[in-house]
Amino acid sequence: MKTSEIRNMSTEDINKKIAELKRDLFDMRLKQATASLEKPHRIRAARKDIARMKTVLTERMIAEENNKGGEE
């Protein structure tokens, strides 16, 4: 998933997607341990997608704090 796509999502949608990806990541790791994972590259892609989403959430949080700080 591209960063521009993530930025267009709402914060709630991003949090839901992170939870979904974490579940998928757990399942993929479990399958990898039993040697039945067909596409191991998806583990790395899921980890990177989660990191991108968390980065966007952090950017939003910092932007909110900066906006609130200017109002005082």
Side-chain angles (χ1 to χ4, degrees):
M1 179 172 278
K2 293 185 178 184
T3 307
S4 60
E5 294 172 1
I6 296 170
R7 290 187 201 284
N8 291 331
M9 296 170 68
S10 70
T11 302
E12 184 178 318
D13 289 340
I14 293 173
N15 285 324
K16 287 179 184 178
K17 189 70 175 173
I18 288 173
E20 178 185 325
L21 284 171
K22 283 186 176 185
R23 261 192 315 276
D24 292 344
L25 186 59
F26 176 78
D27 291 340
M28 286 187 280
R29 285 182 179 153
L30 192 61
K31 287 180 182 179
Q32 185 180 32
T34 60
S36 65
L37 183 63
E38 292 179 14
K39 299 178 182 178
H41 66 278
R42 289 185 57 217
I43 291 175
R44 186 174 183 186
R47 284 186 9 233
K48 288 186 177 227
D49 284 343
I50 291 169
R52 281 187 200 100
M53 290 180 191
K54 286 185 173 184
T55 300
V56 170
L57 288 176
T58 302
E59 289 172 352
R60 288 182 183 180
M61 185 180 70
I62 291 171
E64 283 181 18
E65 288 177 4
N66 288 340
N67 289 338
K68 288 180 183 177
E71 294 175 2
E72 293 179 15

